[in-house]
Amino acid sequence: MSDIEVRTRLAPSPTGDPHVGTAYQALFSYVWARKNSGKFVLRIEDTDRERSSPASETAIIESLRWLGLDWDEGPDVGGPYGPYRQSERLDIYQDHVQLLVAEGHAYPCFCSRERLAELRNERQRSGAGSGYDRKCRDIPPEEAGRRIDAGEEFTVRMKVPLAGRCEFTDLLRGKIEKDWESIDDQVIMKADGYPTYHLAVVVDDHLMRISHIIRGEEWINSVPKHVLLYEFFGWETPVFCHLPLLRNKDKSKLSKRKNPVSIDWYRRTGILPEALLNFIGMMGWHLSDDREKFSVSDMIESFRLEDISLGGPVFDLDKLQWLNGKYIREDFTTDRLLDRLVDWGLNRDHFREILEICRGRMTSLSDWGDLTAHFFTEKLEYSRDQLLIKDMDGTETCRILQIILWELERMEGFTKDDIYTTFRELSEKLDMKMKLFTAPLYIAMSGKSVSTPLFDTMAILGSDVTRMRIKAAMEELGGLSGKQLEKLERSYALKDGEE
Ligand code: GLU
């Protein structure tokens, strides 16, 4: 390396559950910074005002800490280049956007949402792509200024070259070229004065002196726009290193339809953070002696970015389970394992919550094991027939369970009351008595038709585990085909729209 300090970053958007993809980018960025005695920065990208939430930010930070990763700068620890939350940096983005407009690299766009939607439809119909027609690109600056002063709403777009090619280098892929013609005049500032991802990421990576951008392959198509912004500002580009996409076992892109993707699910189902990090470290990388069990320190010692291989790494849960078992057996004394177990599920707070809802059915202290077993295992045993809703077959039951899943996915809070409200609404939407469609859920959650109260149980298990258990039940029932799912999606969206 040259004498430039290595500074890497993780830039999650707090818009949902902490994702294993975030842990993947975090681990590789963290290891590279530590390897080079550099700095690892956490930046929260919360410019999507509708979808961002402080709860999601807290959950992301907690799950990264649970994994054992730490950062040198970030919203919770401060640092010389803060603030590290984008919503607190709006002035900085405004200044940079104004600079681009003043220098003729960007322009205010007054096109209404309606016009843009119409344009999109028209273009799609004629097969001309969905791009913006650059109507506002040539409005003279004086006229634009007058319209802004008169209070007209506007966004700001960057001026993408009309011809020629963009060239940039990805550390793992070498030179990448793209025709400018295929790239839209991207919006860089929204009508509410918030920057878009493209502008904010470039400004922040520069001002925070990031030397290496290590992130998922899904961002590679954004790089031309970013490179152009670097050029407009006269800044040097950092090193780009796009990690290979994580894949499901069938090689499709890792998705929550096929795999649990929330870090929380792994934590709650008893995966050790050391094992999860080790497993994530195996995604596209391996030790030179091919040893599969290694620690983050081992990784730091021998890691080189250029050794990452691009063959799609598979998120194979069997492998993770195998590795987790190895850690449990080889790395823990019984006493340390006991400490972990207590921290994980037998701590006073957690166990108290569970006891509270099952004590009413206890006749002896020894009943606790049987009454609470479903909180401590994912290996529930039940038969397909137990899951069927009264008078329905497997497919019909799956349809209902799928709708329940969608509704649970949309929920923000997951307390007992939140769940009750969702189910009451569902009962109206489905025009079905709640008792009918909650019956299979008792089985799916606990393996038994009589068990701890359903909504309390789900709240204690948490959203991720609850949803995975419903998915497991659907699988037991034979599931829905792609076609059936599509059809259901359409009819349910329609019904939803009617309200
Ligand atoms: N906020 C983006 C995300 O949610 C960051 C992408 C990047 O690393 O540039 O992943």
Side-chain angles (χ1 to χ4, degrees):
M1 270 316 296
S2 64
D3 50 0
I4 303 173
E5 185 187 29
V6 169
R7 291 176 55 86
T8 61
R9 58 29 163 212
L10 177 72
S13 300
T15 53
D17 296 332
H19 196 281
V20 285
T22 304
Y24 174 49
Q25 299 177 39
L27 175 66
F28 282 80
S29 301
Y30 171 84
V31 166
W32 186 240
R34 293 286 171 265
K35 160 107 209 160
N36 291 285
S37 311
K39 296 276 190 294
F40 175 51
V41 177
L42 175 68
R43 180 173 72 232
I44 298 293
E45 302 209 326
D46 57 349
T47 55
D48 184 337
R49 290 169 87 178
E50 263 162 42
R51 294 178 56 231
S52 298
S53 76
S56 167
E57 177 184 321
T58 308
I60 291 171
I61 289 184
E62 271 176 11
S63 63
L64 292 169
R65 292 236 181 264
W66 171 75
L67 280 169
L69 298 176
D70 56 23
W71 38 97
D72 306 288
E73 298 165 30
D76 52 342
V77 294
Y81 304 106
Y84 293 91
R85 201 176 278 115
Q86 289 189 327
S87 59
E88 293 164 19
R89 301 172 61 80
L90 299 181
D91 293 352
I92 301 175
Y93 309 125
Q94 288 277 356
D95 291 349
H96 284 83
V97 170
Q98 271 166 24
L99 193 77
L100 291 181
V101 174
E103 292 187 350
H105 295 307
Y107 59 94
C109 169
F110 301 95
C111 292
S112 65
R113 267 173 227 269
E114 294 73 33
R115 173 170 195 275
L116 294 173
E118 217 163 275
L119 191 66
R120 230 183 349 258
N121 288 339
E122 205 173 285
R123 292 204 147 207
Q124 258 156 16
R125 267 198 304 273
S126 65
S130 58
Y132 173 58
D133 64 358
R134 302 188 156 111
K135 178 170 183 251
C136 297
R137 183 158 160 145
D138 298 318
I139 296 178
E142 309 72 48
E143 185 190 328
R146 267 197 308 277
R147 290 172 71 171
I148 292 172
D149 290 344
E152 216 174 303
E153 195 168 85
F154 67 100
T155 60
V156 178
R157 290 181 185 269
M158 61 193 278
K159 278 191 191 167
V160 171
L162 303 175
R165 314 198 87 182
C166 167
E167 249 186 51
F168 66 93
T169 304
D170 176 84
L171 189 105
L172 302 175
R173 294 164 184 79
K175 194 157 88 176
I176 296 179
E177 294 180 68
K178 203 159 168 115
D179 286 335
W180 283 122
E181 217 185 332
S182 64
I183 299 173
D184 221 0
D185 275 2
Q186 194 71 44
V187 173
I188 53 174
M189 202 182 75
K190 297 177 253 186
D192 61 5
Y194 266 60
T196 58
Y197 159 70
H198 301 291
L199 181 94
V201 79
V202 167
V203 168
D204 287 349
D205 283 337
H206 175 74
L207 295 181
M208 296 180 184
R209 306 191 183 207
I210 300 304
S211 63
H212 293 73
I213 295 182
I214 302 167
R215 65 181 164 203
E217 190 176 328
E218 63 271 33
W219 299 101
I220 212 162
N221 285 336
S222 301
V223 178
K225 295 160 211 161
H226 300 177
V227 170
L228 187 60
L229 286 170
Y230 279 100
E231 200 182 299
F232 286 163
F233 287 121
W235 297 336
E236 219 176 290
T237 48
V239 174
F240 294 107
C241 175
H242 290 87
L243 302 172
L245 278 187
L246 299 178
R247 301 191 179 270
N248 299 309
K249 245 180 161 171
D250 64 5
K251 295 280 169 138
S252 55
K253 180 182 169 191
L254 186 70
S255 64
K256 65 176 171 191
R257 271 203 182 155
K258 303 200 173 141
N259 237 319
V261 292
S262 159
I263 299 174
D264 212 38
W265 183 85
Y266 293 90
R267 184 171 66 81
R268 284 185 182 246
T269 56
I271 297 294
L272 301 170
E274 310 67 344
L276 186 55
L277 273 188
N278 183 161
F279 177 68
I280 291 173
M282 287 158 75
M283 299 291 121
W285 187 80
H286 58 92
L287 280 174
S288 54
D289 60 7
D290 278 339
R291 192 162 28 101
E292 295 199 281
K293 184 162 165 254
F294 55 82
S295 67
V296 175
S297 317
D298 294 335
M299 197 172 167
I300 292 172
E301 210 168 285
S302 46
F303 183 69
R304 296 188 320 165
L305 279 174
E306 52 271 40
D307 290 343
I308 295 172
S309 86
L310 292 176
V314 173
F315 219 78
D316 175 353
L317 292 191
D318 296 331
K319 183 103 194 206
L320 172 60
Q321 207 74 50
W322 166 81
L323 198 58
N324 203 46
K326 251 175 119 52
Y327 273 89
I328 290 179
R329 292 189 304 274
E330 296 171 7
D331 285 34
F332 288 85
T333 59
T334 304
D335 279 313
R336 279 193 56 223
L337 188 59
L338 184 59
D339 290 342
R340 278 297 178 96
L341 206 53
V342 170
D343 281 350
W344 172 71
L346 298 177
N347 63 75
R348 205 177 167 86
D349 288 345
H350 185 61
F351 198 57
R352 189 183 185 289
E353 257 185 325
I354 297 172
L355 193 59
E356 180 80 38
I357 61 166
C358 74
R359 53 175 289 175
R361 297 180 48 230
M362 283 171 86
T363 54
S364 146
L365 291 181
S366 63
D367 284 343
W368 83 270
D370 192 36
L371 288 173
T372 66
H374 54 292
F375 289 102
F376 302 103
T377 180
E378 288 308 300
K379 298 182 178 116
L380 299 172
E381 277 179 27
Y382 49 75
S383 70
R384 179 181 179 278
D385 289 350
Q386 286 176 280
L387 290 166
L388 294 174
I389 295 177
K390 195 164 169 262
D391 299 331
M392 285 192 181
D393 65 13
T395 308
E396 286 164 324
T397 304
C398 274
R399 281 202 193 97
I400 303 289
L401 292 179
Q402 180 61 55
I403 290 173
I404 296 174
L405 263 184
W406 283 329
E407 292 298 326
L408 295 181
E409 268 166 24
R410 275 157 55 152
M411 289 176 65
E412 279 175 15
F414 207 70
T415 63
K416 172 187 167 186
D417 292 341
D418 297 332
I419 302 169
Y420 173 71
T421 310
T422 300
F423 274 67
R424 211 191 40 221
E425 287 167 8
L426 257 168
S427 165
E428 272 166 41
K429 275 190 210 168
L430 296 169
D431 197 16
M432 238 173 124
K433 283 219 173 73
M434 213 196 282
K435 225 171 63 195
L436 279 179
F437 64 88
T438 52
L441 295 177
Y442 276 95
I443 307 288
M445 293 305 126
S446 67
K448 297 180 191 144
S449 52
V450 181
S451 179
T452 43
L454 186 64
F455 302 146
D456 295 270
T457 306
M458 291 168 105
I460 293 174
L461 290 172
S463 169
D464 297 304
V465 176
T466 297
R467 284 183 285 131
M468 282 310 292
R469 288 192 183 184
I470 298 178
K471 279 186 204 173
M474 288 175 66
E475 236 162 75
E476 184 68 35
L477 286 165
L480 293 173
S481 69
K483 249 197 191 133
Q484 287 169 329
L485 198 64
E486 245 173 63
K487 201 165 152 215
L488 182 67
E489 217 160 2
R490 267 197 310 274
S491 63
Y492 194 63
L494 261 178
K495 205 164 181 168
D496 225 19
E498 273 170 19
E499 290 171 63

